[in-house]
Amino acid sequence: MTEILFPPMSENDPNAEGVVSTWFVADGDEVQEGDLIAEVAVDKADMELVAPHAGTITLLVAEEQPVTQNSPIAVVT
């Protein structure tokens, strides 16, 4: 099992938050390493996240739900 963490945004504020703006996968989908799985929004920038390895993805947060940096947003098993 590998946790997918919300990317770090601020070294000065460990409680900085962002949101998953779009999930490109659904809970329970099979993914391959490098598959685009989500777009996250931090301040005024968007970032794309990819699957770290092949497996089944379990989503832990909903789109537009505030998430603190470095918090798990999904897992791949």
Side-chain angles (χ1 to χ4, degrees):
M1 176 179 86
T2 301
E3 290 183 329
I4 299 170
L5 303 179
F6 197 89
M9 300 168 288
S10 171
E11 293 179 9
N12 299 329
D13 182 5
N15 297 317
E17 292 184 338
V19 297
V20 176
S21 51
T22 305
W23 282 112
F24 298 114
V25 295
D27 195 53
D29 280 357
E30 293 293 319
V31 295
Q32 298 300 313
E33 181 177 350
D35 283 356
L36 181 62
I37 58 170
E39 183 176 75
V40 298
V42 293
D43 287 328
K44 296 177 181 156
D46 292 337
M47 301 172 66
E48 294 180 339
L49 299 180
V50 297
H53 61 80
T56 302
I57 194 155
T58 302
L59 307 182
L60 302 177
V61 300
E63 288 180 2
E64 304 303 325
Q65 175 183 340
V67 181
T68 304
Q69 67 182 356
N70 296 315
S71 293
I73 60 171
V75 294
V76 177
T77 54

